[in-house]
Amino acid sequence: MEHLILEVGLALALSALAGMIAGKLRISIVPILIIAGMVVGPQAPHIGVFDFRFIQSAALIDFMGKMGVLFLLFSLGLEFSIKQLMASGPSILRSGLIYMLINFSVALLYPLLLGWPIKEILVVAGMMTISSSAIVAKVIVELKRAANDETEIILGLMMFQDVFVAIYLSVVSGLVLSGSTSTVTVLLTAAVALGFIGAFLFLGHKLVPWLNRRLDIPSDETFLLVTFAAVTLVAGISETLNIAQAIGAMLLGLVLAETEHRERIEHIIVPFRDFFGALFFFSFGLSIDPFALGGAVWPVLGAVLLTLLGNTIAGFIAGRRAQLSHRASLRIGLTILSRGEFSIILTTLALSGGLLGVLQPFSALYVLILAILGPILTKESSLVYKLIGPILKWPELPEKRRLKL
């Protein structure tokens, strides 16, 4: 604990430097933060009191990173309302089914063609199917696209994916760790996840008048404490029910978006969202050892190409079925391209189960490439549209709200 504060200071200094570099290059800060984390970490030198391995501060940086994910998703939830999301439920369900049908099928087939065993196939299929909620949320916020037409579908896809994650993780962990799984457990997990999300949104909608009265707090300090307590408690309860903490935070954001205090909450949490969010991507980079990536280059390049195609096609179909323009439909696929925390969780599971060693560098390199490529392609989606639009002969459609609510 002797140099804990110094290590945290170094981490913040590197994150700040990454932000300045991203500003100079006029690109998203996300990939620069991840690379900054990779450059240091366990393989970095220890020079006197300056320890760039971040051993003493690892747990603290990891915790602050988790807070970053919570506030990113909470902030995104505040941009919508339960009424708005429920009204577009059929559209979200169609989009989610289309996304899963295309991407999960491709993700199962690819490792099968590589000749990998069944447990490894299931792990890789999960990695290739589930987007990173944290990166997607950060990119939407950073590019100020929360009010865009396609963001509602992206938000719905993230919730759809989380229900899938709750079920899938239950199945895969049962197979990998114990060699078997229980149908009853899987069905129970699915019912709990769906029940929690549905009950939370229903009760939250009914409690809006009560929340309006309770949140009428004159003191900003107390208001901030109440907001922090609500976000962490709901996230913690979600985690105990095997639902991602971040989705719990996003559900709370959706509920509070209907109250009279939405703007005050947004104003007060933005600095914390940006601060903790930066540390999440830095800590994510710390978990990647750049010297262990070489053995998985070719399988990863194939997986990246298939993910890019699968996400773009699925996002485009979902967008067009919701009557969005070609440009907005293309943005859906590019925005949900990033991979992150869920792939890391599956890798940890694979290591615990003694699966093929290639899965660790495969996961690290795959996540790294898509965590960098996703934000860049999302930012440059207009350029991508200009390049491929004429080739595919897409007619120009007006950029206006066309989703039927």
Side-chain angles (χ1 to χ4, degrees), residues 96-109:
L97 291 174
I98 291 167
Y99 177 85
M100 284 299 165
L101 182 65
I102 294 175
N103 288 282
F104 191 61
S105 303
V106 172
L108 278 175
L109 190 59

Side-chain angles (χ1 to χ4, degrees), residues 69 72-73 76 131-138 158 162 246-247 341:
V69 179
L72 280 168
L73 271 293
L76 193 59
S131 306
S132 166
S133 300
I135 297 178
V136 170
K138 175 70 175 172
M158 288 161 63
D162 196 65
I247 295 300
E341 58 275 12

Side-chain angles (χ1 to χ4, degrees), residues 78-142:
L78 282 174
E79 299 291 338
F80 295 86
S81 70
I82 299 173
K83 191 185 298 180
Q84 189 179 347
L85 199 66
M86 283 185 167
S88 56
S91 179
I92 288 170
L93 183 62
R94 281 197 301 272
S95 304
L97 291 174
I98 291 167
Y99 177 85
M100 284 299 165
L101 182 65
I102 294 175
N103 288 282
F104 191 61
S105 303
V106 172
L108 278 175
L109 190 59
Y110 180 62
L112 181 66
L113 292 174
L114 290 177
W116 289 358
I118 184 65
K119 291 179 183 177
E120 281 77 358
I121 289 173
L122 291 174
V123 169
V124 171
M127 289 180 191
M128 290 177 63
T129 303
I130 307 301
S131 306
S132 166
S133 300
I135 297 178
V136 170
K138 175 70 175 172
V139 170
I140 291 173
V141 170
E142 195 174 85

Side-chain angles (χ1 to χ4, degrees), residues 263-299:
E263 289 186 9
R264 188 182 181 193
I265 295 170
E266 275 186 323
H267 175 73
I268 212 162
I269 63 116
V270 162
F272 297 97
R273 179 199 69 193
D274 293 343
F275 176 79
F276 289 123
L279 284 172
F280 167 74
F281 295 105
F282 180 77
S283 66
F284 180 60
L286 284 178
S287 69
I288 299 175
D289 179 2
F291 298 111
L293 304 180
V297 172
W298 293 112

